[in-house]
Amino acid sequence: MNKTTAAITAVGKYVPDYILTNKELETMVDTNDEWITSRTGIKERRILKEEGEGTSYMAIKAAENLIEKNNINPEEIDLVIVATATPDMPVASTAVYTASKIGAVNAFAYDLQAACSSFLYGMSVASSYIESGRYKKVLLIGADKMSSIIDYTDRATCIIFGDGAGAVLFEPNEEGLGLQDEYLRSDGIGREFLKIDAGGSILPPTEETVKNGQHFVHQEGRTVFKFAVSNMADVSEKILERNNLTKDTVNWLVPHQANKRIIEATANRIGLDDDKVMMNISRYGNTTSATLPLLLADYEKELKKGDNLIFAAFGGGFTWGSIYLKWAYSK
């Protein structure tokens, strides 16, 4: 009897219409296109400008794109997970609202937060639900409205982040395709280097915290960069070793889009050529939880059934990890 694995059977995406270019950022902070491009690989990012709309707006759009493209009945979805660092609001779950709006009336839903590793961790969770045999269709959405927590006078962060959402559907597979292995890590040492100081239970919002700009993302770039480079590369290499994979048997690296230099360092560690590395950072910047599913959506037509994909991510906390997945379909 074949072991049931969890395979991705459909993908969807949404990015806002508004494009914030490096040229426009030059008018906002002391920076320039050449400096941003050479250090990050980013040329532009998408910003959600619709008034009164948050992360759920993009999550819903990405889910609807997946549902429409693949003729899926949303009433058959068992579970909706929204991986996000920017929920619509505290307490009320973004995933629950998203599930209701897309017509997934028979699903239960919840949010998952692990900073930029949220979607990667979500892949592990979604796969476990499928492998348990209790659920047949798990919709995992990665969505973040990073513009809602970015200080556009802080050039250390405003040049990096953008808004967007991507979605994947996990279903049971009997052919040995889908998620094969995972190596997920975390270390609380990172808490001080990438965070938002105020708005949580330690430092609730006050007039003073707002005035001090303590509700924006603070990042110590050099420290985060150093940890990201070493850890993303380490876990990717470990996944290859554990599964007897080589640069010749890996078809694609699917890396978190934080910085082009981090992506290149990870690819170099496992010996992959550029044509095997998924990259769209130049167009979207770092969309946090949305980077991995947006890559899958952008490269979907190039993926072939049986392809070996290595996912890697690194995020605040610190959180990081790598997942080995065999692709389940060809377009």
Side-chain angles (χ1 to χ4, degrees), residues 51 64 82 88 111 131 144 150 207 220 235 238 293 316 320:
E51 197 168 336
E64 288 174 341
V82 172
D88 283 1
D111 297 351
E131 290 169 7
D144 269 305
I150 295 299
E207 187 177 341
E220 291 188 25
V235 291
K238 190 171 187 70
W320 70 98

Side-chain angles (χ1 to χ4, degrees), residues 28 32 48 152 158:
M28 299 162 65
N32 61 70
L48 183 65
Y152 284 91
C158 73

Side-chain angles (χ1 to χ4, degrees), residues 27-194:
T27 68
M28 299 162 65
V29 289
D30 181 18
T31 190
N32 61 70
D33 175 60
E34 192 278 328
W35 193 91
I36 298 170
T37 305
S38 63
R39 282 161 178 77
T40 68
I42 301 167
K43 299 292 284 186
E44 57 191 42
R45 63 291 291 148
R46 302 298 184 101
I47 304 296
L48 183 65
K49 291 283 192 177
E50 278 73 7
E51 197 168 336
E53 299 293 358
T55 294
S56 66
Y57 177 85
M58 296 184 293
I60 291 162
K61 293 279 192 184
E64 288 174 341
N65 177 244
L66 181 151
I67 288 165
E68 289 163 16
K69 269 172 47 184
N70 299 278
N71 297 313
I72 289 160
N73 179 358
E75 294 183 6
E76 294 179 356
I77 297 170
D78 300 306
L79 165 62
V80 176
I81 301 171
V82 172
T84 185
T86 56
D88 283 1
M89 56 184 72
V91 184
S93 167
T94 301
V96 171
Y97 179 73
T98 299
S100 294
K101 295 299 283 187
I102 65 173
V105 293
N106 296 310
F108 71 104
Y110 60 85
D111 297 351
L112 190 156
Q113 208 280 73
C116 291
S117 302
S118 297
F119 188 85
L120 188 82
Y121 283 20
M123 289 176 66
S124 171
V125 173
S127 296
S128 297
Y129 278 112
I130 294 294
E131 290 169 7
S132 75
R134 293 183 181 181
Y135 305 102
K136 301 296 183 190
K137 292 183 190 294
V138 176
L139 180 64
L140 172 63
I141 305 167
D144 269 305
K145 185 183 176 182
M146 293 304 293
S147 62
S148 66
I149 55 172
I150 295 299
D151 177 1
Y152 284 91
T153 65
D154 175 17
R155 72 173 184 176
T157 55
C158 73
I159 66 169
I160 297 168
F161 294 97
D163 302 339
V168 302
L169 185 69
F170 277 93
E171 294 187 272
N173 184 277
E174 306 297 332
E175 301 176 85
L177 303 170
L179 196 144
Q180 305 294 308
D181 193 16
E182 63 182 49
Y183 187 61
L184 307 179
R185 312 295 298 154
S186 62
D187 187 342
I189 193 175
R191 185 173 183 168
E192 294 306 307
F193 304 119
L194 180 50

